Amino acid sequence: MSIAENIAAIRAKMRQAAIAAGRNPDEIVLCAATKMNDADAVREAIAAGIDCCGENRVQELTEKMAQDAYHGAPVHFIGHLQTNKVKQVVGKVDLIQSVDRMNLLEALEKEAARQGIVQNILLEINVGREESKSGFLPEQLDQVLENIEQFSHLRVKGLMAIPPISHFEGENRRYFKEIYQFCVDISRKKYDNVDMDCLSMGMSGDYADAIACGSTMIRIGTAIFGARPYAQTHQTSGQ
Ligand SMILES: *Cc1c(COP(=O)(O)O)cnc(C)c1O
């Protein structure tokens, strides 16, 4: 199957899942997780109609940007971000999805202020409370959001989560529902610099379940590009 055929199949399944849940299919964004795929593969995916690209590693992001690989699509950062690399990401991507700790928030605010811009971000939630994963714990969220009110160069656009690897269809629904509920609760509290328009959850193995539970953005790698050549060593790599 070609990248275009894969994307057409995913779009069909997205539609079906949205309609089954009584949702408008047009409100769900398809983000291509492009890690370990080269500029040509990225261009092919953009031509085939994905909505945005998500990159995991700063080095890959920088290389592919230099090759103009993302032309025609917004780029997001979706991997673990070291504070000493924020300069290479802030102001370069439309959305940083993987903001997973307080000192990263501080570094992002400082860099965005230095550039005189407002950077859109998502907060990553460690919904499965896995030691191997990054992200805020659910009970930390209120405190974090209260702190963010002082960060005038950041806008929180929603939440991102990578639930535990599921072993059967539907296993992650309870996590997806839990995250959706966090979004609803946070929206009600009306924090400054915060809205919950984006709920980024669902990957190749579970995106239909995520859509059923309220996801507005799915991040798909394998189902678009095929299996990655080797396992990425980092914790947020998926499989
Ligand atoms: C790789 C990756 C994905 C996509 O995973 P697949 O299972 O290949 O679809 C989604 N989100 C993040 C953060 C990733 O690193």
mmCIF file of all heavy atoms in Angstrom, residues 132-150:
data_model
loop_
_atom_site.group_PDB
_atom_site.id
_atom_site.type_symbol
_atom_site.label_atom_id
_atom_site.label_comp_id
_atom_site.label_asym_id
_atom_site.label_seq_id
_atom_site.Cartn_x
_atom_site.Cartn_y
_atom_site.Cartn_z
ATOM 1 N N SER A 132 7.765 4.883 33.160
ATOM 2 C CA SER A 132 8.587 4.984 31.956
ATOM 3 C C SER A 132 8.167 6.158 31.071
ATOM 4 O O SER A 132 8.839 6.468 30.093
ATOM 5 C CB SER A 132 8.459 3.697 31.155
ATOM 6 O OG SER A 132 7.111 3.534 30.754
ATOM 7 N N LYS A 133 7.046 6.808 31.374
ATOM 8 C CA LYS A 133 6.567 7.878 30.495
ATOM 9 C C LYS A 133 6.669 9.236 31.153
ATOM 10 O O LYS A 133 6.587 9.370 32.360
ATOM 11 C CB LYS A 133 5.098 7.625 30.125
ATOM 12 C CG LYS A 133 4.958 6.505 29.104
ATOM 13 C CD LYS A 133 3.821 6.751 28.137
ATOM 14 C CE LYS A 133 3.768 5.657 27.079
ATOM 15 N NZ LYS A 133 2.664 4.736 27.311
ATOM 16 N N SER A 134 6.823 10.247 30.299
ATOM 17 C CA SER A 134 6.817 11.601 30.834
ATOM 18 C C SER A 134 5.389 12.129 30.848
ATOM 19 O O SER A 134 4.461 11.489 30.367
ATOM 20 C CB SER A 134 7.737 12.518 30.034
ATOM 21 O OG SER A 134 7.951 12.030 28.750
ATOM 22 N N GLY A 135 5.231 13.308 31.407
ATOM 23 C CA GLY A 135 3.902 13.920 31.457
ATOM 24 C C GLY A 135 3.512 14.280 32.866
ATOM 25 O O GLY A 135 4.029 13.716 33.828
ATOM 26 N N PHE A 136 2.606 15.243 32.973
ATOM 27 C CA PHE A 136 2.082 15.623 34.281
ATOM 28 C C PHE A 136 1.114 14.552 34.768
ATOM 29 O O PHE A 136 0.409 13.941 33.963
ATOM 30 C CB PHE A 136 1.348 16.961 34.185
ATOM 31 C CG PHE A 136 2.245 18.123 33.848
ATOM 32 C CD1 PHE A 136 2.253 18.676 32.577
ATOM 33 C CD2 PHE A 136 3.092 18.656 34.812
ATOM 34 C CE1 PHE A 136 3.085 19.746 32.263
ATOM 35 C CE2 PHE A 136 3.927 19.728 34.520
ATOM 36 C CZ PHE A 136 3.928 20.266 33.240
ATOM 37 N N LEU A 137 1.088 14.361 36.060
ATOM 38 C CA LEU A 137 0.081 13.468 36.623
ATOM 39 C C LEU A 137 -1.229 14.248 36.743
ATOM 40 O O LEU A 137 -1.215 15.462 36.968
ATOM 41 C CB LEU A 137 0.522 12.955 37.996
ATOM 42 C CG LEU A 137 1.746 12.031 37.953
ATOM 43 C CD1 LEU A 137 2.217 11.702 39.372
ATOM 44 C CD2 LEU A 137 1.444 10.746 37.176
ATOM 45 N N PRO A 138 -2.343 13.563 36.606
ATOM 46 C CA PRO A 138 -3.637 14.257 36.641
ATOM 47 C C PRO A 138 -3.785 15.190 37.837
ATOM 48 O O PRO A 138 -4.278 16.312 37.693
ATOM 49 C CB PRO A 138 -4.637 13.099 36.711
ATOM 50 C CG PRO A 138 -3.954 11.979 35.995
ATOM 51 C CD PRO A 138 -2.495 12.132 36.297
ATOM 52 N N GLU A 139 -3.322 14.775 39.004
ATOM 53 C CA GLU A 139 -3.534 15.602 40.202
ATOM 54 C C GLU A 139 -2.636 16.849 40.217
ATOM 55 O O GLU A 139 -2.828 17.743 41.038
ATOM 56 C CB GLU A 139 -3.346 14.791 41.487
ATOM 57 C CG GLU A 139 -1.978 14.169 41.684
ATOM 58 C CD GLU A 139 -1.868 12.781 41.055
ATOM 59 O OE1 GLU A 139 -2.673 12.455 40.143
ATOM 60 O OE2 GLU A 139 -0.974 12.025 41.471
ATOM 61 N N GLN A 140 -1.651 16.913 39.309
ATOM 62 C CA GLN A 140 -0.788 18.098 39.226
ATOM 63 C C GLN A 140 -1.394 19.195 38.345
ATOM 64 O O GLN A 140 -0.935 20.337 38.367
ATOM 65 C CB GLN A 140 0.573 17.719 38.633
ATOM 66 C CG GLN A 140 1.379 16.760 39.493
ATOM 67 C CD GLN A 140 2.681 16.350 38.808
ATOM 68 O OE1 GLN A 140 2.693 16.014 37.627
ATOM 69 N NE2 GLN A 140 3.763 16.396 39.562
ATOM 70 N N LEU A 141 -2.404 18.836 37.567
ATOM 71 C CA LEU A 141 -2.875 19.731 36.512
ATOM 72 C C LEU A 141 -3.336 21.100 37.009
ATOM 73 O O LEU A 141 -2.970 22.128 36.436
ATOM 74 C CB LEU A 141 -4.005 19.062 35.716
ATOM 75 C CG LEU A 141 -3.556 18.168 34.574
ATOM 76 C CD1 LEU A 141 -4.764 17.518 33.908
ATOM 77 C CD2 LEU A 141 -2.756 18.962 33.547
ATOM 78 N N ASP A 142 -4.124 21.125 38.060
ATOM 79 C CA ASP A 142 -4.667 22.405 38.523
ATOM 80 C C ASP A 142 -3.559 23.369 38.928
ATOM 81 O O ASP A 142 -3.551 24.531 38.540
ATOM 82 C CB ASP A 142 -5.635 22.190 39.695
ATOM 83 C CG ASP A 142 -7.009 21.770 39.192
ATOM 84 O OD1 ASP A 142 -7.475 22.363 38.197
ATOM 85 O OD2 ASP A 142 -7.602 20.852 39.771
ATOM 86 N N GLN A 143 -2.601 22.843 39.668
ATOM 87 C CA GLN A 143 -1.463 23.658 40.115
ATOM 88 C C GLN A 143 -0.686 24.209 38.914
ATOM 89 O O GLN A 143 -0.338 25.389 38.859
ATOM 90 C CB GLN A 143 -0.549 22.771 40.974
ATOM 91 C CG GLN A 143 0.700 23.459 41.473
ATOM 92 C CD GLN A 143 0.402 24.350 42.653
ATOM 93 O OE1 GLN A 143 -0.087 23.886 43.678
ATOM 94 N NE2 GLN A 143 0.680 25.634 42.504
ATOM 95 N N VAL A 144 -0.451 23.334 37.942
ATOM 96 C CA VAL A 144 0.288 23.736 36.738
ATOM 97 C C VAL A 144 -0.467 24.824 35.986
ATOM 98 O O VAL A 144 0.109 25.832 35.579
ATOM 99 C CB VAL A 144 0.512 22.495 35.830
ATOM 100 C CG1 VAL A 144 1.060 22.904 34.468
ATOM 101 C CG2 VAL A 144 1.442 21.505 36.504
ATOM 102 N N LEU A 145 -1.754 24.644 35.833
ATOM 103 C CA LEU A 145 -2.560 25.608 35.075
ATOM 104 C C LEU A 145 -2.620 26.957 35.795
ATOM 105 O O LEU A 145 -2.618 28.008 35.160
ATOM 106 C CB LEU A 145 -3.963 25.046 34.833
ATOM 107 C CG LEU A 145 -3.974 23.911 33.805
ATOM 108 C CD1 LEU A 145 -5.236 23.080 33.930
ATOM 109 C CD2 LEU A 145 -3.830 24.445 32.388
ATOM 110 N N GLU A 146 -2.639 26.913 37.107
ATOM 111 C CA GLU A 146 -2.608 28.170 37.857
ATOM 112 C C GLU A 146 -1.288 28.906 37.626
ATOM 113 O O GLU A 146 -1.251 30.121 37.460
ATOM 114 C CB GLU A 146 -2.807 27.917 39.355
ATOM 115 C CG GLU A 146 -4.277 27.940 39.733
ATOM 116 C CD GLU A 146 -4.557 27.302 41.075
ATOM 117 O OE1 GLU A 146 -3.730 27.465 41.997
ATOM 118 O OE2 GLU A 146 -5.596 26.636 41.188
ATOM 119 N N ASN A 147 -0.192 28.161 37.578
ATOM 120 C CA ASN A 147 1.118 28.768 37.302
ATOM 121 C C ASN A 147 1.183 29.353 35.899
ATOM 122 O O ASN A 147 1.820 30.378 35.669
ATOM 123 C CB ASN A 147 2.226 27.724 37.460
ATOM 124 C CG ASN A 147 2.596 27.526 38.914
ATOM 125 O OD1 ASN A 147 2.788 28.495 39.635
ATOM 126 N ND2 ASN A 147 2.666 26.287 39.345
ATOM 127 N N ILE A 148 0.547 28.679 34.951
ATOM 128 C CA ILE A 148 0.627 29.108 33.556
ATOM 129 C C ILE A 148 -0.048 30.464 33.349
ATOM 130 O O ILE A 148 0.292 31.188 32.412
ATOM 131 C CB ILE A 148 0.031 28.015 32.643
ATOM 132 C CG1 ILE A 148 1.021 26.858 32.554
ATOM 133 C CG2 ILE A 148 -0.283 28.548 31.248
ATOM 134 C CD1 ILE A 148 0.495 25.644 31.876
ATOM 135 N N GLU A 149 -0.931 30.834 34.224
ATOM 136 C CA GLU A 149 -1.583 32.142 34.084
ATOM 137 C C GLU A 149 -0.558 33.276 34.068
ATOM 138 O O GLU A 149 -0.810 34.325 33.510
ATOM 139 C CB GLU A 149 -2.617 32.339 35.199
ATOM 140 C CG GLU A 149 -3.780 31.378 35.033
ATOM 141 C CD GLU A 149 -4.982 31.694 35.919
ATOM 142 O OE1 GLU A 149 -4.794 31.842 37.152
ATOM 143 O OE2 GLU A 149 -6.091 31.784 35.375
ATOM 144 N N GLN A 150 0.616 33.049 34.673
ATOM 145 C CA GLN A 150 1.660 34.087 34.654
ATOM 146 C C GLN A 150 2.512 34.037 33.384
ATOM 147 O O GLN A 150 3.327 34.914 33.145
ATOM 148 C CB GLN A 150 2.626 33.903 35.838
ATOM 149 C CG GLN A 150 1.975 33.764 37.178
ATOM 150 C CD GLN A 150 2.867 32.955 38.130
ATOM 151 O OE1 GLN A 150 4.085 32.955 38.002
ATOM 152 N NE2 GLN A 150 2.241 32.260 39.064
#
